[in-house]
Amino acid sequence: VGDNGIIEQFVMDCIDTLDVEISDNPDFVFCGDFETHDFLKYDCVRIYINGELEFPDFNVYDYALGSLHLEMGDRYRRFPFYLWRDGTAREFEESLRRNKLPDSAFNRKFCNYIVSNGAFVNPVRHQFFELLSGYRCVDSGGLFCNNIGYQVENKDSFQRDYKFSLTFENESYPGYITEKIVEAYNAGTIPIYWGAADIGQEFNENAFINVSDYHTLDEAIKYIRFIDEDRESYMRILNEPLIKDTSMSKSIYDNDEAGVFIREILLRGRESAYRRTKYGRPTIIESRYKCDVYAKMAETIMSQEIPLSEWLRKMNSGSVYIYGAGLIGKILSDVFNRNGIRIDGMIDCSKSGNYKNVDILSADGLCLEENALVVNTVYGNKDALKRNLDCEVVDIFEIVETIR
């Protein structure tokens, strides 16, 4: 699910009341995006979690938790990104109790813009930044278009010095509301927002400036100029509550709703919770994802052939076998051969024969030497190999990550 720990901590908080075991042979796997495809190793119940603008593929996932408004029966639950992202749920709760700000807030610096990602976003975000900067300087404190000479470390304290904060999403889509507007509001600035067209269903539109409400960007900037110069209008917007009806917010923003969804899935047990089909075209789709994994692995092996060969020499194994006579197995055999490493055989579950003077052995009834080392090249097959071959098995998918 990524290396920042946010989703992992979120999941652990959701299941902390259950007696669970973290296992390499799981009944349930929580997973994020398709960057690594690691979830494909586990033919168990897969639970996808992602607060970004991404659509879960229910051909390969059983359940999903995300920001978008989707209908998928008991397989999907919407949980807005600003509620489960690290610290933001707490900030949202604090924003409901934010104190009225004094008139001196009108005398602060104009506007800030904190963005580090300039790629794969709607160009309207940067376009608006440029247009608004034509009126007054907008202080950009992120990595992208930084104009203050340093990168902001504490976003909250930085935003508190400004009257306005640009809080544009990466893209506009119903339900896709991230932490940006909550953080800006909680810092005591007026958010200038662009993103989800339905944001008014969840937030009080009198508490921020919604650029999408205007026919053109110039019209929005004209209104911002007016608010920037009119103390009474500015203070009225600044002190509006983020949510009009706090009782309604409790039903919409129950922070344990995701926990209930996840716990109910786990309590069903593996067999009852399994939802995706095991046959038909969805199996072809999953195979395509796996082909992408193998293509990336082939490229990695060829670019890391010397470190891989040095790693194998250090293992000091009596005999070395490669499991899998497919593309990855053959590439790995070529790499080791080029670097003077003897391969005692390639093992395959469905065929036998020969590849460049290396025997391909059938896995049926195979008995290997006591000190044999098997390098597995079949995705997600390591544990089964250990049980069947009764010898040391290493996984090429894990080894290349270690070498990197």
Side-chain angles (χ1 to χ4, degrees):
V1 295
D3 59 3
N4 57 17
I6 292 173
I7 297 179
E8 181 178 353
Q9 186 58 53
F10 172 74
V11 170
M12 297 307 294
D13 289 344
C14 289
I15 64 176
D16 64 354
T17 60
L18 300 181
D19 182 16
V20 299
E21 174 190 353
I22 306 301
S23 171
D24 290 330
N25 184 29
D27 297 311
F28 302 87
V29 60
F30 293 93
C31 44
D33 56 35
F34 286 129
E35 284 298 315
T36 62
H37 296 76
D38 281 349
F39 68 91
L40 293 171
K41 295 178 182 178
Y42 307 104
D43 186 22
C44 62
V45 179
R46 300 170 182 161
I47 306 170
Y48 170 93
I49 300 181
N50 197 317
E52 293 291 354
L53 181 49
E54 296 183 17
F55 295 86
D57 188 341
F58 288 98
N59 292 298
V60 294
Y61 299 122
D62 296 277
Y63 301 91
L65 195 69
S67 291
L68 308 180
H69 294 293
L70 304 175
E71 292 294 333
M72 200 63 185
D74 71 342
R75 298 180 66 180
Y76 180 80
R77 184 66 52 85
R78 179 176 181 260
F79 197 66
F81 189 54
Y82 57 82
L83 283 184
W84 62 260
R85 192 175 185 273
D86 185 36
T88 310
R90 183 194 70 252
E91 290 177 0
F92 175 77
E93 293 168 356
E94 291 176 355
S95 69
L96 297 177
R97 303 186 297 271
R98 197 191 76 180
N99 294 326
K100 184 177 180 179
L101 296 171
D103 285 354
S104 59
F106 183 74
N107 301 320
R108 294 174 293 177
K109 290 181 283 187
F110 173 52
C111 183
N112 72 85
Y113 179 60
I114 305 176
V115 170
S116 292
N117 174 28
F120 306 110
V121 299
N122 193 303
V124 71
R125 185 163 76 180
H126 184 63
Q127 183 182 0
F128 193 84
F129 164 71
E130 294 283 357
L131 288 172
L132 189 59
S133 296
Y135 160 58
R136 287 183 66 181
C137 179
V138 178
D139 289 345
S140 177
L143 292 175
F144 182 68
C145 290
N146 187 290
N147 61 12
I148 63 174
Y150 65 94
Q151 184 181 355
V152 171
E153 294 184 1
N154 189 311
K155 186 175 182 179
D156 180 73
S157 62
F158 181 74
Q159 288 185 319
R160 288 181 185 276
D161 290 334
Y162 292 85
K163 297 170 70 173
F164 301 93
S165 295
L166 286 182
T167 59
F168 278 43
E169 307 289 8
N170 295 337
E171 182 56 288
S172 175
Y173 197 87
Y176 177 54
I177 307 170
T178 67
E179 79 288 356
K180 297 178 181 67
I181 189 171
V182 176
E183 290 177 339
Y185 181 89
N186 208 36
T189 74
I190 292 180
I192 301 174
Y193 181 82
W194 178 90
D198 58 350
I199 191 171
Q201 297 178 18
E202 304 185 33
F203 293 93
N204 174 16
E205 288 191 289
N206 294 324
F208 60 96
I209 297 171
N210 190 351
V211 173
S212 297
D213 288 343
Y214 300 88
H215 292 102
T216 66
L217 299 184
D218 286 332
E219 281 189 18
I221 290 174
K222 183 178 180 180
Y223 179 69
I224 292 169
R225 293 182 63 171
F226 167 73
I227 298 300
D228 181 42
E229 297 168 358
D230 188 279
R231 181 185 295 268
E232 182 179 348
S233 298
Y234 177 83
M235 295 306 301
R236 182 180 67 253
I237 296 173
L238 184 66
N239 283 315
E240 281 279 341
L242 184 62
I243 303 294
K244 283 184 177 180
D245 186 348
T246 55
S247 63
M248 179 185 70
S249 72
K250 176 61 180 174
S251 62
I252 296 176
Y253 309 117
D254 182 354
N255 285 340
D256 198 40
E257 186 173 338
V260 171
F261 175 70
I262 288 173
R263 289 190 292 273
E264 286 179 348
I265 294 171
L266 301 185
L267 290 171
R268 289 178 192 140
R270 175 172 178 156
E271 296 303 319
S272 296
Y274 202 96
R275 288 290 184 274
R276 66 187 191 277
T277 179
K278 297 181 180 180
Y279 306 100
R281 288 196 61 81
T283 61
I284 298 175
I285 293 172
E286 180 157 332
S287 295
R288 289 173 182 168
Y289 287 132
K290 289 182 178 179
C291 286
D292 185 40
V293 173
Y294 287 124
K296 290 179 180 178
M297 179 54 61
E299 181 180 347
T300 301
I301 289 173
M302 288 185 286
S303 66
Q304 299 285 327
E305 67 171 85
I306 294 177
L308 271 171
S309 300
E310 291 176 350
W311 163 82
L312 187 55
R313 286 193 184 94
K314 292 178 181 178
M315 294 295 290
N316 292 320
S317 300
S319 55
V320 177
Y321 294 85
I322 294 174
Y323 185 88
L327 172 66
I328 302 301
K330 291 174 179 176
I331 289 176
L332 199 59
S333 177
D334 292 342
V335 163
F336 290 149
N337 181 59
R338 278 197 299 269
N339 288 274
I341 297 175
R342 171 188 164 85
I343 300 299
D344 294 278
M346 299 175 69
I347 305 170
D348 197 272
C349 63
S350 59
K351 56 189 172 184
S352 58
N354 187 274
Y355 174 73
K356 293 184 179 180
N357 297 321
V358 177
D359 289 334
I360 300 176
L361 312 171
S362 173
D364 293 338
L366 184 64
C367 184
L368 300 180
E369 304 92 311
E370 185 176 344
N371 61 348
L373 173 69
V374 176
V375 183
N376 173 49
T377 68
V378 178
Y379 202 59
N381 201 45
K382 178 182 174 182
D383 292 335
L385 276 182
K386 282 186 175 180
R387 292 191 298 270
N388 295 335
L389 297 179
D390 191 26
C391 65
E392 184 176 5
V393 178
V394 293
D395 194 291
I396 190 61
F397 299 92
E398 296 175 1
I399 296 305
V400 294
E401 291 300 322
T402 303
I403 291 174
R404 284 179 185 175

